[in-house]
Each structure stands twice: as C-alpha cells, then as structure tokens.
Amino acid sequence: MNTHRLTRAALKSTIVMLTLVAGVSAITARGQDSGTNGPATDAASSAAVNRVETSATRGAIIPIKNEISDVTAESLKRRIEFARERGAQVLVFEIDTPGGMVTSALEICSLIKNLTDIKTIAWVNTEAYSAGSMIAMACDEIVMTPSSTIGDCGVILGGPTGPQEVPEQLRAKAESPVIEEFRDSAARNGYDPLLCESLVVKERVVYWIEHRETGERRFIEEFEKKKLFNESSEGFAFTEEASSDESSAANPWFLIERYFDPILNKDIKLPQPVVKATELLTMSQSRALAFGFCQGIVADAPAMAERYALSGDWLRLDTTWSENLTAWLTSMPVRIFLLVIILLGAYVEFNTPGVGVPGLTALIALGIFVGAPYLTGLANVWEIVIVFIGFALIAVEIFVIPGFGVAGISGILCVIVGLLATFIPEEPGRTFPLYWPQFEPGLRGLETGVIVLASGAVAGVVAMILFSRVMPHLSWLHGAIPPNPMPTETNVATVDPYHGYARVGDVGRITSPLRPAGKARFGDELVDVVTHGEYVEPPAEVVVIEREGNRVVVRPVDDPSTPRKA
C-alpha cells in the first residue's frame, strides 16, 4: 500500500512537470432495534437550530466538491493534516458533490472516523448524493444549509436500454461495502438502521409511527406495520385522527402525518410510507432534521462559528492548483487535445529522420494522457502496462518483423483497449484488470472513452493533412515561418554532415527497414534517409532523389522513375 501511494505521488509530480514542459445501510438485530427510540420530537428538532456549546476554540472548513476520486482522498489527507498542525479542534467538511468512486469514499470515511481527537462536522452545501452522503454520515454531526439535499446511495446497473436493477448475482458484491459503512455510521451516531438501509436498498418500504402516550417514535417496515396494526389485506392503517378511542386503547401506535419544518416554521404534511418500494431515501434539509440525520440548519460560516462557539477566523483549506490540474487533465476536451498531439507528434517523427522534438512531445502527451487518470483512480497499473505493451508490439512490427501482421494488429488493439480502460472506474467485486463495465458509471466512462478516441483520431488525421499539405502553402504563414536560406555568394559555406556522400543520384544500400525512415550506407558513411512513404526492406539498393541539408530522400533503385547519376 505504501509503495502504491509513493508511486502515485511520484507520478503526480512528474505529470505536473511534464505539463509545464509541454505548455447504507445499517442492518442490525432488528428484533431488539425495533424498540429503539427514533428521532427526536418536533420540539427537539426545532431546537436543533440553536447554538451548541463545545470546548473547541478554532475550526477549519475543508470543501469536498465535484466527483469523489482518489485525488479527493489524497487531497483530504493533506488538508486534514495541515488543519491539525494549525491547532484546529473542529473540522467542517463542506460537501457539495453528486457522488463518485465507492473505493475513494470508503477511504475518506475511514480517514474521518479515525480522527478521534477532533470533532468532525458534515456541512451539506448544497447536495450530498451517493458517496457524498456516505462521507457526511461518517462525521460526528451533520448540518445542512436552508436549501440542501442528502441521500440516494443506491447502485444502478446501466445498459443500452437505460438504468436497470442490479442482478442478484452482483448485488452482494456491489452493495456489501456500502451497507457495512452505513451500518458502522448508524451505530456510531445513533441513526436509524432501517432508514440507513433504505438509502441503498430500494425494496425497503418504511413507515414512521409514534406512541400516543410516551411520544416514542419509530421507523418500521411494511410487514411490521401490518402486524402492529393488525391490518387486513386492504391495508387499513390507524392515524392519529382516524383512530377511535376504542382502537386507541387497543393500539396506542399511529402513523405520523406531519413534521415540523424549521425553515417554513410550520407543520408539513408527511406522506406515508416515508420511503416507497420504488425509491431510495432522499431527504431535504427539513426531512433530514425530522428523521434524525441532520442536527441543525446552518446558512453560512459565521452561523457555524456561533453554533459551535468557535473563536478566531475560520481556516479554509481549498484544493491546490496541482490537485485541480490533475482533475482538469482528465476532462474530455483536454484528453482529445492530448490524443491529437500524440498522433501528430508521431506522424511528424516518423516522417523525419532522427529523433527530435515531435517524438518527445508525443511521449510527454502520452504520459499525461494515461498518468492523470491513474492519479484520479480511473486507471490502474495494468491498464497503463497494456498501453505500453501495445506500443512495443507496434514498434516490433515496424522495425523488426517484415510486413504488417499479427504483432501490429495486436499492438493496435492493446493500445485501444488500454486507453479505453483509463476512462472506466473500478467496480465492486472486480479483480481481473480488464472487464466489460456493468454499472452506470463504468458504461458512462466507456462512452466517454469512445467519444474521446474517435474525436481525437479524426482531429489527428485532419491535423496531419493540414500539417503536411495545406500549411506550407498558406501565404500568411510565410512571415511566421521563414523559408530555408538559399545559397548566395555572401553565405558562409555550410558543413556537409555526410562528407560528400548521399548527394542526389548517389546509390547506397539500406541497413535497416525503411518504414519510411531508416538508415542506408553510402560508401563509408551511414546516413539517415526517408522515402516518400514506401516501405523498403534490406538489403535493397536505394538512390537519393532529394537532398535538403541533412534530410535525404531516397527511392528503391528498381523504381523506373528514379533519376540516377550517369
């Protein structure tokens, strides 16, 4: 684990340098838990917006925004440690996220729960869906802004016909880590286990009931409700108004019909069941307060400081520019641009002798293309290895094996598969490096990968055509790119790098395959040569047809159109 993190840290630093160079559930023994007290009464819920005294004197706000990834987890470790060094005794995680990677969220939850000497508060501003709600419930308390939402932690299976239910053979692997995390949070913070389960499992039908005499409130499932109210098949249930005195004496429980909304300062009608079989629990700030998840409504940082009796200025710890850069490098437009640079650099490099700036630029772009997803958790080591194996096979096909066959085709397939895999996040229960995604995020990532590769390939081809044919003939570029100097009497004599060999009409013998660049021997001189696209195998003879400085263009001797010296 430590070696893996060191590798990520080193690669992150390398990518930043290269860029500069390039330019829910809680399932407990419910036989006993069914008698556990639920959320507080309406009066207690209303009082939750009041000030809460604490011994802490200084607080830090740590924003958690956008999608959760490995970059988020590493960033939080850095910011939490910085806050501890500055003496923060209260950490407020300002959450505004649609969710993200399960593995990263679980790591963040573990990090937060291990902060036993610091009070942790989740401040939902303005949404904490999926992984965001998991992180929020790992904190000691949850507070929310006057217009915010939390919940919806289900696993959805994507497909060509739209979202589908997760197959039974995959549900255990997909849901178990999330359920266990919510189970632990419920036990730590006193959340209702059935409600936590309904955040993840859609089949749960949950009712909210109250004891007429004691005021105890409880969340129960549908089968418990039928048993408690002795319902008939028609599903009749007691309510506070509908139950008669006689039935009340027999059954003191009734369904809660209203809850107090501190934002509107009035009672709001509550539909029952509070969670239906066709939905996952998703709560506004007022419902989260009524159900016992939210401890208070906090609009801004000053209100937070007043609520927790904090002194001094808030220490706000945002993400650094390098963390933002790493996330930006995985965006679709940037990855399309990187792919174009890779293709164009390779094209220019293969059409000019020697190794130069285009090839180096292409390698840098490739490193960023596959390295940035590795830092965000989208790619793993195996996918990057597959990409470089593909390039190795292509190189063997070009420079070693005559013709173009199995090695070249296999290399191209490895590169395409490896690059597509860098767009697909890991899925629960997957151990093999490559797999066809089953869940909606993976399929969405695959779709993005296909779009990026297809768009980048088309744009790369267009760039090659422009670079090779159009740009040299654009008059407005002549001033920006001066022509090669023409020989005049005042010119200083240039040095021939090949000492008089490899002039137009000279015949030599190639020593390596020309694909289309390679090497040929003219007399005692080994010369870098290139054809006009023809592939020539050694030990064929070639004749020089063009010479511009150290650029030597040749054709096979048996070509009838080839000029030769007399």
Side-chain angles (χ1 to χ4, degrees), residues 401-474:
I401 304 175
F404 194 82
V406 175
I409 295 174
S410 300
I412 292 174
L413 290 177
C414 284
V415 170
I416 294 175
V417 171
L419 292 180
L420 283 176
T422 63
F423 291 85
I424 302 173
E426 294 185 9
E427 294 184 351
R430 300 291 181 175
T431 56
F432 192 73
L434 295 177
Y435 53 86
W436 185 262
Q438 297 294 316
F439 302 115
E440 195 270 338
L443 290 169
R444 190 172 63 243
L446 178 61
E447 179 184 0
T448 301
V450 172
I451 294 174
V452 168
L453 294 188
S455 302
V458 172
V461 172
V462 172
M464 294 176 195
I465 296 174
L466 291 175
F467 193 86
S468 62
R469 297 184 180 180
V470 179
M471 287 186 179
H473 304 290
L474 295 177

Side-chain angles (χ1 to χ4, degrees), residues 72-385:
T72 311
E74 295 300 323
S75 174
L76 283 176
K77 291 178 184 178
R78 176 190 62 80
R79 289 183 280 169
I80 289 173
E81 185 60 30
F82 185 87
R84 293 174 69 115
E85 293 174 355
R86 295 300 183 274
Q89 296 170 278
V90 174
L91 293 184
V92 178
F93 297 96
E94 183 181 358
I95 302 176
D96 184 12
T97 173
M101 296 181 58
V102 172
T103 52
S104 301
L106 292 173
E107 184 177 357
I108 293 171
C109 290
S110 177
L111 174 66
I112 292 174
K113 290 178 179 179
N114 284 325
L115 298 173
T116 55
D117 57 335
I118 296 179
K119 185 177 183 65
T120 57
I121 301 165
W123 181 24
V124 181
N125 181 23
T126 57
E127 61 181 30
Y129 292 116
S130 192
S133 60
M134 190 190 313
I135 295 171
M137 294 188 185
C139 297
D140 297 329
E141 289 185 13
I142 299 175
V143 295
M144 303 175 69
T145 58
S147 179
S148 51
T149 312
I150 188 172
D152 188 1
C153 300
V155 180
I156 300 175
L157 175 65
T161 59
Q164 303 173 8
E165 297 291 335
V166 179
E168 288 299 324
Q169 62 270 24
L170 295 177
R171 284 190 70 171
K173 288 185 177 181
E175 295 179 351
S176 291
V178 181
I179 289 175
E180 178 58 29
E181 177 57 38
F182 276 101
R183 176 188 292 123
D184 183 70
S185 296
R188 287 170 178 261
N189 301 320
Y191 302 135
D192 185 87
L194 180 58
L195 281 184
C196 288
E197 185 176 346
S198 66
L199 287 163
V200 182
V201 184
K202 191 171 70 172
E203 291 81 2
R204 295 292 180 266
V205 179
V206 182
Y207 293 85
W208 195 15
I209 62 174
E210 181 177 347
H211 195 279
R212 194 178 308 276
E213 298 175 358
T214 64
E216 175 189 354
R217 293 187 168 189
R218 181 188 303 178
F219 292 95
I220 60 174
E221 288 192 80
E222 189 167 27
F223 77 91
E224 295 175 290
K225 168 179 167 286
K226 290 181 178 180
K227 182 178 179 181
L228 185 63
F229 291 112
N230 193 23
E231 292 181 351
S232 62
S233 59
E234 286 77 12
F236 172 79
F238 290 104
T239 64
E240 187 175 18
E241 291 79 4
S243 57
S244 63
D245 294 337
E246 183 177 341
S247 60
S248 298
N251 187 356
W253 294 98
F254 65 90
L255 294 177
I256 298 174
E257 292 187 317
R258 295 182 178 276
Y259 68 94
F260 181 74
D261 189 332
I263 304 298
L264 301 177
N265 197 29
K266 66 178 182 179
D267 289 336
I268 302 297
K269 184 175 178 58
L270 177 70
Q272 293 276 14
V274 295
V275 183
K276 300 179 182 179
T278 56
E279 65 184 23
L280 294 168
L281 178 60
T282 306
M283 301 167 285
S284 66
Q285 71 289 330
S286 299
R287 289 227 308 170
L289 186 65
F291 291 172
F293 290 103
C294 176
Q295 301 302 313
I297 307 299
V298 178
D300 50 31
M304 185 78 69
E306 180 183 358
R307 174 181 172 84
Y308 293 100
L310 302 176
S311 62
D313 295 332
W314 279 101
L315 182 64
R316 186 175 181 87
L317 302 175
D318 290 300
T319 54
T320 63
W321 69 269
S322 61
E323 292 163 349
N324 295 332
L325 174 63
T326 303
W328 176 74
L329 288 173
T330 60
S331 63
M332 182 185 295
V334 174
R335 300 196 78 183
I336 291 176
F337 174 76
L338 289 173
L339 185 57
V340 172
I341 296 299
I342 294 170
L343 296 176
L344 185 59
Y347 170 78
V348 174
E349 185 66 32
F350 275 103
N351 282 276
T352 55
V355 178
V357 175
L360 179 61
T361 303
L363 288 176
I364 292 173
L366 177 62
I368 298 173
F369 191 94
V370 299
Y374 176 78
L375 292 176
T376 59
L378 286 174
N380 56 47
V381 175
W382 286 109
E383 293 163 356
I384 297 175
V385 169

